[in-house]
Amino acid sequence: MAEIDWEADSVIADGDKELSRGPCKDGSKVYRYESGKMLYKMRDGTQLVIGKSGLKTQTNPDGKRIQLFPDGRKTTVNPDGTKVEKMKNGDIVTTRTDNTVITVFATPQGENQIIKRTQHPDKTIIESHKDGLKTAYFPDGTKVETHK
């Protein structure tokens, strides 16, 4: 099976022929295309594309983009560039515009039961543990532990 091009499946291509259009009860409009994709245009300017794969891509007037993947993943890109991803395993990964990556684990990780890991651009890593312990690892090799 060929890998899905998620970006292509999230938009209506310029040459995609419109087959039909019509109003919805809530005042939005639905458009159906030859590719099998559908586009909903809401009254507030929100647009929702449903791709051939089942990918749902919502673009809000403020620029926020939310994608719901058929395998259960969810990605949100906020207007400020912050990206939040819910992975298949339930972990939530937030990537800020300064490249700080924050991972909240659905299931505590490892022997220390890590529930959250923050990786800063300077390579500092801070781990929060289930029991309230926080461990910071600095680029120079220093390790600092703090308790609640």
Side-chain angles (χ1 to χ4, degrees):
M1 185 169 136
E3 190 168 322
I4 297 169
D5 180 345
W6 296 114
E7 190 55 39
D9 202 35
S10 70
V11 295
I12 304 297
D14 288 338
D16 200 353
K17 184 179 175 189
E18 183 183 306
L19 298 178
S20 66
R21 67 168 72 182
C24 297
K25 289 181 183 178
D26 65 2
S28 62
K29 294 179 180 160
V30 63
Y31 302 80
R32 289 177 175 78
Y33 292 87
E34 196 170 61
S35 66
K37 296 178 186 176
M38 294 193 320
L39 168 66
Y40 291 86
K41 291 186 177 182
M42 315 312 174
R43 292 185 310 182
D44 69 356
T46 299
Q47 292 193 14
L48 173 66
V49 174
I50 300 177
K52 294 182 289 190
S53 68
L55 172 68
K56 295 175 181 161
T57 303
Q58 176 179 313
T59 306
N60 297 349
D62 67 359
K64 178 187 255 185
R65 186 174 189 217
I66 303 165
Q67 291 187 294
L68 300 172
F69 294 84
D71 63 8
R73 292 177 294 135
K74 177 181 179 180
T75 301
T76 302
V77 179
N78 293 303
D80 69 358
T82 300
K83 183 177 183 179
V84 180
E85 299 175 89
K86 180 181 179 200
M87 309 308 243
K88 279 196 249 186
N89 67 0
D91 292 354
I92 300 189
V93 179
T94 302
T95 305
R96 295 183 181 158
T97 55
D98 69 355
N99 289 322
T100 297
V101 178
I102 303 163
T103 304
V104 177
F105 298 103
T107 305
Q109 301 292 301
E111 162 181 330
N112 292 328
Q113 297 288 285
I114 300 164
I115 57 172
K116 179 179 169 185
R117 176 179 291 124
T118 303
Q119 296 173 274
H120 294 276
D122 71 356
K123 308 288 186 230
T124 298
I125 297 172
I126 300 172
E127 295 177 338
S128 301
H129 305 261
K130 190 175 178 182
D131 65 3
L133 174 71
K134 282 192 178 185
T135 307
Y137 301 92
F138 295 94
D140 67 2
T142 305
K143 176 181 171 183
V144 177
E145 291 184 344
T146 57
H147 296 272
K148 258 183 165 177

